[in-house]
Amino acid sequence: ETYGTNAVANHHTMIPKAILDHPIIDFLAKNPILNGFLIRIFLAWFLPWLMDGSEVPYTDIDFHVFTDAAKYISMGKSPYDRHTYRYTPFLAAFLSYMPKEVGRYIFCIADTICGWIILRFRQSRRQPSENSNLLTQLQDGIW
């Protein structure tokens, strides 16, 4: 397809109108929070299974710090007995009441909430007409 009148220019990029009119692109643009949440949930389930036995594990070291601190709480100890734990004791206490793997999904929810806050901030800093631009909505989904 040519990039003449059937294309949309934005930030010096030409994208064929047929791509922008596709229903999947429309869904992705209009539901960035849902899409981000579903991607996070999938990755939290799939990647530890795939990579945690490998030389470079998927699970971040901080997750191990959190879950170790939760074990300390379960044993009646302070989470700060776990070296490098420097977070709120509430978080360790909260995680101590659930299975270790559920914590991954709790972090997915918290990360999605942070994404929602960033999205609202980005939208509030633009002109209202910019918020309806499909390419801008797709960029919001990346954030």
Side-chain angles (χ1 to χ4, degrees), residues 17-73:
K17 188 169 177 5
I19 291 174
L20 293 176
D21 288 341
H22 196 279
I24 291 175
I25 299 296
D26 187 56
F27 178 80
L28 291 173
K30 301 226 183 320
N31 300 290
I33 300 300
L34 175 64
N35 295 322
F37 179 69
L38 293 175
I39 289 169
R40 285 173 178 86
I41 292 294
F42 174 75
L43 293 175
W45 166 77
F46 181 68
L47 289 180
W49 171 79
L50 180 69
M51 298 177 66
D52 277 354
S54 70
E55 187 175 317
V56 180
Y58 167 75
T59 302
D60 184 51
I61 193 67
D62 283 336
F63 183 73
H64 294 296
V65 172
F66 290 128
T67 55
D68 287 351
K71 287 180 202 170
Y72 278 67
I73 293 274

Side-chain angles (χ1 to χ4, degrees), residues 5 10 29 55 62 71-72 80 83 95 97 102-104 107 129-130 132-133 136:
T5 57
N10 188 352
E55 187 175 317
D62 283 336
K71 287 180 202 170
Y72 278 67
Y80 298 108
H83 67 288
L95 292 173
Y97 290 102
V102 172
R104 289 185 198 278
F107 287 116
S129 61
E130 292 178 287
S132 62
N133 181 307
T136 301

Side-chain angles (χ1 to χ4, degrees), residues 70 73 89-98 106:
I73 293 274
F90 171 75
L91 183 57
F94 180 69
L95 292 173
S96 71
Y97 290 102
M98 58 189 64
I106 298 297

